[in-house]
Amino acid sequence: MTKRFENLTKVPQEPAARMLANANTKLKTLIKAPASAPLAVVLEELESKGAMIDMLRLLAIALPPRERVWWACLAARDYIGEKSENDPRSLTASEAWVFNPDPEHREAARATLDHADIDDDTVNCALSVLYSDGTLGPGDLAEYPAPAGAAEVAAFAMNVVALRENSDRFEEHGQMLIDRALDIARGGNGQIKTKAKETEESA
């Protein structure tokens, strides 16, 4: 196994197939690894098959709720840019929840969904916050289960949007999104940059 998928201490120690089943999700790529195979083994097989999108799909499921939302927020920042007064409210509220994941911040993230622009894809961050504990939301909504995999799908969608917005360097950016998730899964902050970004900042 390559070192790329080692020491993912933040993810559940259970088979990747079980994670996918719990999130009511299937990979598009045919996997030969047994159903008992851990996350790292399946990720390695997906990498060998060039299945970048399925790697993102699986990582969205494997990351814990708070780490998953942070991963989504960083993806949004890839095309929104650094913090400013014009940031979408769904993004800023989701970032605030990551640093203080209490019911009040969760409700604040939910409230942004009511007023978001129709083309604001950062609502995916807020949706991942909203469904973070597997329910429909805080307060009375906590009595009702969220659709299986809803939070995971939202985070995955946010990363796909970031990939689309950086389509001029599709493969490089996609691999960075994967490395970012892996860094977060190891307990890092996900501050991974593409080679193009590093070159741009050093110029």
Side-chain angles (χ1 to χ4, degrees), residues 10 63 67 70-71 74 180-190:
K10 289 276 189 174
L63 287 172
E67 285 80 0
W70 181 237
W71 183 50
L74 290 174
R180 177 185 282 162
L182 294 172
D183 181 68
I184 293 171
R186 292 188 186 96
N189 62 12

Side-chain angles (χ1 to χ4, degrees), residues 78 162-163 166 169-178 194:
D78 287 344
L163 196 54
N166 289 274
R169 48 182 186 275
F170 185 86
E171 181 66 27
E172 181 186 5
H173 198 79
Q175 293 303 323
M176 185 277 292
L177 294 173
I178 292 169
T194 62

Side-chain angles (χ1 to χ4, degrees), residues 88-150:
R89 291 178 58 204
S90 288
L91 175 56
T92 56
S94 298
E95 289 172 334
W97 178 86
V98 170
F99 290 100
N100 195 351
D102 58 21
E104 290 74 19
H105 283 88
R106 188 178 175 199
E107 172 58 28
R110 186 210 62 76
T112 67
L113 299 171
D114 296 333
H115 306 288
D117 292 339
I118 193 170
D119 60 349
D120 178 10
D121 289 313
T122 71
V123 296
N124 286 298
C125 297
L127 286 170
S128 196
V129 171
L130 181 62
Y131 301 135
S132 58
D133 70 348
T135 70
L136 287 179
D140 293 342
L141 293 174
E143 299 179 19
Y144 305 97

Side-chain angles (χ1 to χ4, degrees), residues 26-33 42 45-46 48-49 51 54:
K26 293 183 179 179
L27 300 176
K28 305 298 183 184
T29 308
L30 180 63
I31 297 296
K32 294 183 178 180
V42 176
E45 181 174 343
L46 289 172
S48 71
K49 294 178 176 179
D54 265 345

Side-chain angles (χ1 to χ4, degrees), residues 23 80 105 158:
I80 296 294
H105 283 88
M158 190 71 260

